[in-house]
Amino acid sequence: EVSSEEFSRRHLSFQRATIRHTYLNSFSTETQSAKYGINQFSDLSQEEFRDLYLGAVYERAPLFSGLSVKE
Amino acid sequence: LPDKFDWRDKAAVAPVQDQQACGSCWAFSVVGAIQSVHAIGGSQLEQLSVQQVVDCSYQNAGCNGGSTTRALNWLKQTRMKLVTQSEYPYKAKTEICHFFSQSHSGVAIKNFTTHDFSGQEKAMMGQLVQYGPLVAIVDAVSWQDYLGGIIQHHCSSQWSNHAILIVGYDTTGDIPYWIVQNSWGTRWGNEGYVYIKIGGNICGIADSVAAVFL
């Protein structure tokens, strides 16, 4: 049960997702390539998705030198 | 290095979990690596508490996000023992840190390494085989729409925003790929897993990679 305002918002996010899918799938030329389409996140805007699910903070790491500490 | 390697084949990877609407991916990836390395060391595979890390890793922001490096550093410095998931269950919201007595059993880390493996993904494969599943940070913006298959496009490096657990790789087919466990439940992707092309630092998978030692 959602308000008509929220329903409209979710519907718009869903429509935008389908447009995104067409673009993303246009690169999938090989059988093993990634496929993009409707899933549990399709009625979220990209901003909502980032805010809710992408919670990692990147911290720069030193380049791997190829040598272990012992070496 | 073997052509393909998967820690799931060695019963060292716990089932896919669902972080729900909580930005706790950083805690799931860190705890996932610890419980795997614990199992690789000969202990029984058991799910450890993600909620403990979410609540108690004070330098991070719980469900509002966090850094895997800061979480590992906190675990190393404090020698905090992670209790089991059943003793400290996941709530998908940040709560007050619950402390356990020093005598309470749990798993603590001794050390960890974090490196940038960009341009050196073969060396990263070596680390995976040698030390166990690896914690990594990726750009997962396009993963909102992912259904399955090997990701080769639509991801950037150096714009990482999501923490995951690399559990294996497969180089036997036309496109070599990393096998990555995500924390968005089994309904997403390949039963909760995502495959990422090896080489080219796709999604920034090699930008910041951590191995843990118990």
Side-chain angles (χ1 to χ4, degrees), chain A residues 17-38, chain B residues 142 145-154:
Chain A
T18 59
I19 295 167
R20 268 199 324 270
H21 301 158
T22 306
Y23 170 74
L24 293 169
N25 284 323
S26 68
F27 289 75
S28 301
T29 51
E30 293 155 271
T31 50
Q32 285 181 290
S33 295
K35 300 286 184 294
Y36 300 88
I38 304 299
Chain B
S142 67
D145 304 298
Y146 177 75
L147 295 179
I150 305 170
I151 293 180
Q152 303 165 73
H153 310 282
H154 315 305

Side-chain angles (χ1 to χ4, degrees), chain B residues 3 61 64 71 108 112 118 126 141 160 165-166 174 177 190 209 214:
Chain B
D3 290 341
N64 291 323
F112 71 98
S118 48
V141 169
S160 302
L165 186 69
I166 305 171
D174 293 338
Y177 61 89
N190 310 283
V209 179
L214 304 185

Side-chain angles (χ1 to χ4, degrees), chain B residues 62-80:
Chain B
C63 283
N64 291 323
S67 147
T68 52
T69 307
R70 267 183 252 160
L72 286 165
N73 212 29
W74 165 75
L75 284 164
K76 181 186 167 185
Q77 300 290 336
T78 60
R79 297 284 293 148
M80 173 75 83

